Amino acid sequence: MNSKVLITTLLLSSLSVSSTSASVIDDFIAKYMTKVFSSSHGEGLPLKVGELSEGVEYRNHFMETMGIEALERDGMTLYTGNNKGLGLVKKSNEDEPAFDLILSKNNFNSLVSWKNGKKFIKALKDYTKDNGCIPKITSTSHGWRSEGRTGEGHGLSGKSGFNGIYVDYEHGPEKIAKTGSRTFKDDLIKEIKKGKIKFCSSCIAQFYACNVSTYFADSFAKMSGCQTVVATGQNSPYFQERDADGGYTRIVNGSHYWKSAAGVWEERQTEEMTLNNERKASWYRSTPIRNSQNEVIDLVKENLGELYIAL
């Protein structure tokens, strides 16, 4: 990877469009996409930052089950044996520098591009058919612009900006914007019940996309049984400065360090919030709790702060 590309990766991975395109998209969203977003920024996000024992134990158990080992090098936590699971990237995002940098970790054994909700589900079905079950999802895509929204998006937008994968149509696109879209409730769950999609008994789903809602994460965790992580704020690579010697080692080797930060005034960090260890626009983690029948009966919800270290 040359220096020009690396420098470009320092740009935020938010939705970037021209002013003319933005106007068209905003008009479209105002007409057909109003139900897609939460009513406020940070809805469902625990105010205090901190990991809980259940979330930590689930991740550690997953790593042990998958044979993933952690090691410390150059002040970073690196992983070996984590080239497992399904990598997903939205079509038209494949060659964008930030996503290219993240995917260069190759922390998956199959990478698939998807353009709409139908293709998203097909990717999960194909992986299940070839591997038996899905142990990990590493998804990279543009999410939602911070401005002009009431809150976070209850889904991932597709290539056209709307035709993606959503929790349900009560919180999804309407009319023409449904074209190509799919939902957990109406589509993905049916494939799970038919055995066409199967998640491993211990699994993790990590979504690198801006401004995704806690409702999306909770719904995915409950449906799949996977610990699910989303950014409720604006994504970017965490390391964006050169090494002391001018090199890019930290940026490249630390590309699994993901940042989520405020994108609008409502998410700003105040002095009082800092003193109380509170934060909006954070990484959110939803961990499923199962009963003796292996049914998900509860979710442990965590505000991880601005940094998530992807597996």
Side-chain angles (χ1 to χ4, degrees), residues 82-97:
N82 64 330
N83 57 333
K84 299 176 174 69
L86 176 61
L88 293 169
V89 58
K90 187 165 67 178
K91 277 193 179 297
S92 76
N93 294 167
E94 300 103 317
D95 298 323
E96 295 192 28

Side-chain angles (χ1 to χ4, degrees), residues 205-218:
Q206 42 200 13
F207 294 92
Y208 182 99
C210 294
N211 304 306
V212 177
S213 74
T214 61
Y215 180 58
F216 177 89
D218 289 344

Side-chain angles (χ1 to χ4, degrees), residues 126-140:
D126 289 347
Y127 190 93
T128 300
K129 182 179 179 181
D130 293 340
N131 300 275
C133 65
I134 303 169
K136 178 161 64 81
I137 290 177
T138 302
S139 174
T140 61

Side-chain angles (χ1 to χ4, degrees), residues 33 36 88 90 114-122 124 137 139 141-142 144 153-159 161-169 171-173 177-189 191 197 207 209 212-213 216 220 223:
M33 302 281 283
V36 170
L88 293 169
K90 187 165 67 178
W114 63 281
K115 66 178 181 179
N116 55 31
K118 180 180 179 181
K119 294 298 184 181
F120 182 96
I121 291 177
K122 184 179 185 300
L124 272 57
I137 290 177
S139 174
S141 66
H142 282 307
W144 308 98
H154 301 314
L156 302 175
S157 62
K159 181 181 178 182
F162 57 89
N163 57 335
I165 183 76
Y166 301 90
V167 176
D168 51 51
Y169 284 123
H171 303 85
K178 284 186 176 182
T179 305
S181 296
R182 295 292 187 272
T183 70
F184 298 167
K185 180 179 179 180
D186 296 302
D187 304 292
L188 209 158
I189 288 177
E191 299 299 330
I197 294 175
F207 294 92
V212 177
S213 74
F216 177 89
F220 195 93
M223 170 187 65

Side-chain angles (χ1 to χ4, degrees), residues 19 44 47 214:
S19 58
L47 197 54
T214 61

Side-chain angles (χ1 to χ4, degrees), residues 261-298:
V264 291
W265 177 256
E266 292 86 350
E267 298 171 340
R268 70 194 184 281
Q269 186 71 12
T270 65
E271 291 184 9
E272 182 179 2
M273 290 172 69
T274 300
L275 288 172
N276 293 330
N277 193 32
E278 299 171 349
R279 179 178 290 274
K280 287 187 177 182
S282 298
W283 283 101
Y284 173 74
R285 183 164 69 185
S286 184
T287 301
I289 303 298
R290 298 177 183 268
N291 61 15
S292 57
Q293 286 75 47
N294 208 32
E295 300 166 326
V296 176
I297 58 172
D298 200 5

Side-chain angles (χ1 to χ4, degrees), residues 1 4-11 13 93-103 237:
M1 186 178 292
K4 182 178 180 181
V5 171
L6 280 167
I7 292 171
T8 310
T9 64
L10 307 186
L11 298 175
S13 296
N93 294 167
E94 300 103 317
D95 298 323
E96 295 192 28
F99 301 130
D100 186 55
L101 177 67
I102 290 167
L103 294 173

